[in-house]
């Protein structure tokens, strides 16, 4: 009898320890920091089976594999251990810090959540090769190369970076997109548009390859010393051959997704020589011509002419200042109008820049525009050069004579509009209306304003009573308040969905919430009661057309499936327009 009691007590203790065993549900990541060309594995592990597993949105990542399920059970020292794992393989979309949010699961009627994980995505990194890895096999047949025209330029000398994608004859590329654009810090940069991509034949490390030029960029270094050109990274879908063949003997291909990078490049920028540097040098580097041109050399007083200071040629045309004109003070000069006619190609900037001055003489006479000079650094001869304009004389034929004692034909170095001597033939402004004030004071007592201020508060009392009564009636209408709140949320979320066009996850979350809140307002049902069948029955009961109901259900399905399927911006715009059109149709038909 005592033995039976001991056995029963032991069974009770064991059963209690099992039932009170702690349930664990946690997220594990393969690494906390990775390059944009690497992959991330996320495992959601639990020690007890559950239902309704809900993964996070994985904002900032593409799901390239999973979810994969794995279940293991083991016995050790008489104790049973259980583990179930959901695994996802992710590819980062861009650099930055991202948070993998909480996953949830229901175990024994309770909801468990994982701890958020912070992941830092950096620029592309070099990884050791593994010949048995399919990604490595793909890497051996496709290469992204950044070709720099000059690794040791002068400050403000143009260099070009050409990005070429090399593909071996045995492989192919079915799709590609840029996931990380280089930031050209310490450079003035401009991309050259490539209208049509052309496949060309070439060699890479002595082997025959096909290649295509993806991007051309012109850079002007703005600092001296070592400057880094960050890598360009692409997400590429590669077709690699397998050992299987089709019925015609052709080799079958398989697709591999790969993130490839051009690698960073370092250039050494030389400073411009100090020896022989002109005092008026403003940073022009290249090969230029310099001119000062006037629209006319003879005119009458009060007429205007244009004087244009122009530099044209090949170089950093947008990165230096033009010399200023020095004019006699008796010439009225307005602020110059700057214009640029510059195109950028692989040779750098080409074209012209100019400052156009509007000049108006006030008196007759001859006015010299002194010679001005422009200096620049010529990278071909590695020396400074100076170009001077000739003296230009402006002959004012007819006009008043300058009677001032100062010599106004002497050039003035002042910039901007020059002071003009005003003649005496001017009229003072004559007022045409009076501004008289009464000498009799106006008392406020018993005035219109006095009686208005006295009676207005009394008239406002009934209005306040009516407004308060309406507010109490509105507050008491619980059902109406819920409907108004849901309708307001639907409009807000539909607006948020429009703002999120292009961001797939945020767009479909906002669109789904808008649809749900709209149904709450129109059908008077709670979120917990949502099922597609019930929604369809209720809408048909409200005499909504079956095609409109089918369209509404299809939008809800799109919101559910879009999280794990690739969606374009055009498709998101179509879903948004379809949702707005369907809601409008239901509003008109529902009874």
């Amino acid at each position: 009898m005592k033995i039976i009691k001991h056995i029963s007590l032991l069974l009770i203790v064991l059963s209690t320890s099992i039932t009170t065993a702690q349930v664990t549900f946690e997220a594990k990541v393969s690494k906390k920091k990775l390059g944009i060309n690497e992959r991330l594995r996320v495992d959601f592990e639990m020690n007890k089976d559950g239902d309704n597993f809900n993964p996070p949105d994985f904002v900032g990542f593409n799901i390239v594999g999973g979810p994969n399920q794995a279940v293991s059970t083991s016995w050790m020292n008489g104790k049973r251990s259980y583990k179930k794992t959901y695994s996802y393989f992710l590819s980062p979309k861009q650099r930055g810090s991202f948070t993998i949010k909480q996953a949830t699961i229901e175990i024994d009627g309770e909801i468990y959540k994982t701890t958020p994980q912070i992941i830092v995505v950096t620029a592309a990194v070099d990884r050791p090769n593994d010949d048995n890895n399919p990604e490595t096999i793909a890497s051996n047949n496709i290469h992204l190369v950044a070709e720099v025209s000059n690794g040791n330029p002068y400050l403000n000398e143009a260099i070009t970076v050409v990005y070429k994608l090399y593909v071996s004859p045995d492989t192919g590329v079915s799709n590609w997109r840029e996931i990380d654009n280089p930031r050209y810090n310490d450079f003035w940069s401009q991309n050259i548009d490539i209208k049509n991509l052309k496949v060309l034949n070439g060699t890479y490390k002595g082997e025959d390859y096909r290649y295509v030029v993806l991007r051309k960029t012109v850079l002007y270094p703005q600092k001296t010393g070592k400057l880094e050109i960050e890598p360009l990274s692409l997400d590429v879908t590669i077709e690699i051959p397998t050992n299987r063949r089709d019925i015609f003997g052709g080799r079958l291909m398989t697709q591999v997704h790969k993130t490839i990078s051009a690698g960073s490049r370092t250039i050494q920028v030389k400073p411009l020589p100090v020896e022989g540097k002109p005092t008026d040098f403003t940073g022009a580097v290249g090969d230029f011509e310099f001119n000062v041109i006037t629209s006319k050399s003879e005119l009458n007083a009060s007429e205007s002419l244009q004087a244009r200071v122009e530099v044209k040629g090949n170089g950093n045309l947008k990165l230096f200042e033009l010399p200023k004109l020095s004019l006699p003070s008796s010439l009225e000069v307005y602020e110059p109008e700057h214009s640029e006619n510059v195109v950028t190609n692989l040779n750098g900037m080409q074209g012209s820049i100019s400052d156009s001055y509007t000049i108006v003489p006030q008196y007759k006479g001859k006015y010299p525009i002194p010679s001005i000079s422009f200096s620049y650094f010529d990278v071909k001869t590695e020396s400074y050069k100076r170009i001077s304009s000739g003296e230009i004389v402006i002959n004012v034929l007819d006009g008043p004579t300058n009677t001032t004692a100062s010599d106004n034909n002497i050039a003035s170095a002042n910039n901007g509009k020059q002071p003009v001597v005003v003649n005496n033939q001017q009229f003072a402004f004559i007022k045409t209306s009076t501004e008289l004030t009464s000498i009799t004071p106006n008392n406020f007592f018993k005035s219109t304003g006095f009686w208005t201020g006295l009676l207005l508060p009394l008239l406002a009392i009934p209005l306040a009573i009516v407004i308060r009564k309406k507010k109490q009636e509105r507050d008491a209408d619980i059902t109406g308040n819920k409907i108004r709140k849901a309708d307001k949320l639907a409009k807000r979320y539909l607006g948020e969905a429009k703002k999120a066009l292009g961001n797939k996850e945020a767009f479909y979350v906002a669109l789904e919430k808008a649809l749900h809140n709209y149904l709450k307002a129109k059908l008077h049902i709670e979120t917990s009661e949502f099922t597609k069948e019930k929604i369809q029955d209720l809408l048909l009961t409200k005499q909504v057309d079956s095609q409109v109901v089918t369209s509404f259900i299809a939008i809800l399905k799109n919101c559910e499936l879009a999280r794990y399927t690739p969606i374009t911006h055009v498709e998101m715009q179509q879903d948004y327009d379809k949702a707005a059109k369907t809601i409008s149709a239901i509003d008109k038909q529902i009874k």
Side-chain angles (χ1 to χ4, degrees):
M1 192 67 179
K2 291 182 178 180
I3 296 174
I4 295 174
K5 288 181 179 180
H6 285 300
I7 293 174
S8 62
L9 182 61
L10 181 61
L11 291 174
I12 292 172
V13 173
L14 289 174
S15 64
T16 303
S17 63
I18 293 173
T19 57
T20 60
Q22 185 179 4
V23 176
T24 60
F25 179 49
E26 56 184 352
K28 297 181 178 180
V29 295
S30 58
K31 55 181 68 178
K32 296 280 189 176
K33 184 177 181 181
L34 69 156
I36 198 169
N37 58 336
E38 294 185 291
R39 296 290 186 268
L40 176 69
R41 174 172 175 164
V42 183
D43 294 331
F44 298 99
E45 294 184 359
M46 64 204 76
N47 64 349
K48 195 171 184 179
D49 199 6
D51 299 315
N52 301 323
F53 172 70
N54 187 21
D57 294 334
F58 299 117
V59 176
F61 295 89
N62 290 319
I63 300 176
V64 296
N68 300 329
Q69 294 188 38
V71 178
S72 64
T73 304
S74 62
W75 292 86
M76 182 176 293
N77 297 328
K79 294 182 179 181
R80 176 180 176 271
S81 63
Y82 173 87
K83 184 173 74 172
K84 185 176 182 179
T85 305
Y86 290 91
S87 299
Y88 290 83
F89 296 90
L90 310 178
S91 170
K93 295 180 180 179
Q94 60 187 17
R95 284 187 285 178
S97 179
F98 303 95
T99 300
I100 296 178
K101 298 181 180 179
Q102 293 177 324
T104 60
I105 195 168
E106 182 179 351
I107 301 177
D108 294 337
E110 293 188 14
I111 302 297
Y112 292 85
K113 299 180 180 180
T114 60
T115 303
Q117 303 289 329
I118 298 177
I119 307 298
V120 177
V121 180
T122 65
V125 298
D126 295 330
R127 291 184 295 168
N129 291 330
D130 181 4
D131 293 337
N132 297 320
N133 188 340
E135 289 190 3
T136 303
I137 297 175
S139 299
N140 293 333
N141 292 276
I142 186 168
H143 309 279
L144 181 61
V145 178
E147 297 182 353
V148 180
S149 62
N150 185 1
N152 188 24
Y154 278 104
L155 181 70
N156 265 317
E157 179 185 357
I159 63 173
T160 58
V161 183
V162 179
Y163 296 93
K164 295 181 179 180
L165 182 64
Y166 286 88
V167 182
S168 69
D170 297 330
T171 58
V173 173
S174 60
N175 191 21
W176 65 274
R177 65 183 181 89
E178 295 183 3
I179 60 175
D180 189 27
N181 295 323
R183 302 181 182 92
Y184 300 111
N185 297 325
D186 303 321
F187 292 93
W188 183 94
S189 63
Q190 182 169 330
N191 292 327
I192 300 175
D193 293 335
I194 301 177
K195 296 182 179 180
N196 297 315
L197 298 179
K198 296 182 179 179
V199 179
L200 304 172
N201 293 322
T203 59
Y204 178 78
K205 293 184 178 180
E207 298 182 5
D208 292 333
Y209 271 80
R210 295 166 296 161
Y211 73 91
V212 63
V213 177
L214 299 180
R215 178 189 282 196
K216 300 176 182 178
T217 304
V218 176
L219 303 177
Y220 284 88
Q222 301 298 294
K223 287 176 59 177
T224 59
K226 290 185 178 181
L227 301 183
E228 182 180 1
I229 300 175
E230 293 185 349
L232 170 69
S233 296
L234 306 177
D235 183 20
V236 186
T237 303
I238 308 171
E239 304 281 346
I240 60 175
T242 65
N243 294 327
R244 296 177 296 153
R245 297 184 179 272
D246 56 22
I247 59 175
F248 300 103
R251 180 169 291 183
L252 297 175
M253 309 290 282
T254 185
Q255 287 188 344
V256 174
H257 289 276
K258 177 70 177 174
T259 300
I260 60 175
S261 172
S264 62
R265 297 291 300 272
T266 300
I267 65 171
Q268 183 70 38
V269 181
K270 298 179 291 187
L272 298 177
V274 176
E275 183 179 357
K277 184 176 181 179
T279 57
D280 60 348
F281 179 72
T282 59
V285 177
D287 186 10
F288 303 107
E289 297 178 5
F290 176 66
N291 295 296
V292 177
I293 305 169
T294 57
S295 59
K296 58 182 76 171
S297 59
E298 293 184 349
L299 72 165
N300 295 326
S302 299
E303 293 182 352
S304 65
L305 65 91
Q306 301 292 324
R308 188 172 77 252
V309 179
E310 180 185 62
V311 172
K312 60 182 179 181
N314 184 358
N316 59 335
L317 287 165
K318 298 181 180 181
L319 303 177
F320 60 84
E321 295 182 358
L322 290 169
K324 303 295 182 181
L325 277 182
S326 179
L327 298 171
S329 60
S330 57
L331 294 178
E332 185 177 6
V333 184
Y334 294 89
E335 287 291 335
E337 179 181 353
H338 185 76
S339 63
E340 297 179 353
N341 182 20
V342 180
V343 296
T344 305
N345 53 32
L346 286 181
N347 294 321
M349 300 185 208
Q350 293 182 344
S352 65
I353 61 173
S354 63
D355 284 342
S356 293
Y357 296 80
T358 298
I359 303 173
V360 181
Q362 298 296 310
Y363 307 102
K364 70 176 182 179
K366 293 185 178 182
Y367 300 91
I369 299 178
S371 173
I372 58 174
S373 62
F374 169 73
S375 58
Y376 66 94
F377 182 77
D378 189 346
V379 293
K380 295 180 180 178
T381 61
E382 297 186 347
S383 62
Y384 292 98
K385 292 185 178 180
R386 179 188 294 275
I387 306 175
S388 298
S389 66
E391 183 181 80
I392 301 175
V393 177
I394 305 298
N395 189 9
V396 181
L397 301 176
D398 188 18
T401 302
N402 188 0
T403 59
T404 59
S406 61
D407 185 2
N408 289 286
N409 288 354
I410 300 175
S412 172
N414 295 330
N415 294 325
K417 187 174 180 179
Q418 306 294 334
V420 178
V421 178
V422 180
N423 57 36
N424 295 323
Q425 299 176 358
Q426 304 292 331
F427 291 95
F429 178 74
I430 301 175
K431 293 186 177 181
T432 59
S433 61
T434 61
E435 297 179 358
L436 304 178
T437 59
S438 175
I439 61 175
T440 304
N442 295 323
N443 295 323
F444 178 72
F445 182 68
K446 293 185 179 182
S447 65
T448 303
F450 171 79
W451 293 115
T452 302
L454 183 63
L455 297 177
L456 189 61
L458 298 176
L459 296 176
I461 293 174
L463 181 61
I465 294 173
V466 173
I467 294 174
R468 183 177 180 182
K469 186 176 179 180
K470 291 292 185 182
K471 185 178 184 301
Q472 289 175 346
E473 292 176 357
R474 186 181 180 93
D475 293 340
D477 185 11
I478 299 175
T479 303
N481 288 335
K482 286 185 178 180
I483 293 173
R484 284 188 289 271
K485 184 178 179 181
D487 188 51
K488 185 184 295 183
L489 286 173
K491 292 180 179 179
R492 180 167 68 88
Y493 284 122
L494 202 58
E496 291 180 0
K498 187 173 182 180
K499 293 178 182 178
L501 280 170
N503 186 344
K504 182 182 70 174
E505 291 81 2
F507 170 76
Y508 282 102
V509 168
L511 184 61
E512 188 175 17
K513 287 182 179 179
L515 296 176
H516 282 190
N517 281 286
Y518 174 75
L519 291 177
K520 288 171 66 178
K522 291 297 180 182
L523 303 181
H524 312 298
I525 60 176
E526 297 298 327
T527 309
S528 58
E529 301 175 4
F530 281 169
T531 63
K532 296 182 182 65
E533 293 77 11
K534 185 170 183 178
I535 293 170
Q536 186 172 4
D537 293 341
L538 286 173
L539 290 175
L540 292 174
T541 304
K542 298 288 185 179
Q543 300 184 12
V544 179
D545 187 74
S546 59
Q547 292 183 353
V548 177
V549 176
T550 303
S551 178
F552 192 88
I553 299 300
I555 297 171
L556 288 175
K557 290 181 179 179
N558 284 354
C559 292
E560 295 174 357
L561 297 175
R563 183 178 296 176
Y564 302 111
T565 57
I567 298 293
T568 64
H569 186 279
V570 175
E571 292 172 323
M572 283 188 280
Q573 182 66 51
Q574 291 175 349
D575 284 341
Y576 176 83
D577 295 339
K578 188 176 181 182
K581 183 178 179 182
T582 304
I583 289 176
S584 177
I586 293 175
D587 273 335
K588 295 178 181 178
Q589 299 177 13
I590 196 166
K591 295 181 180 179

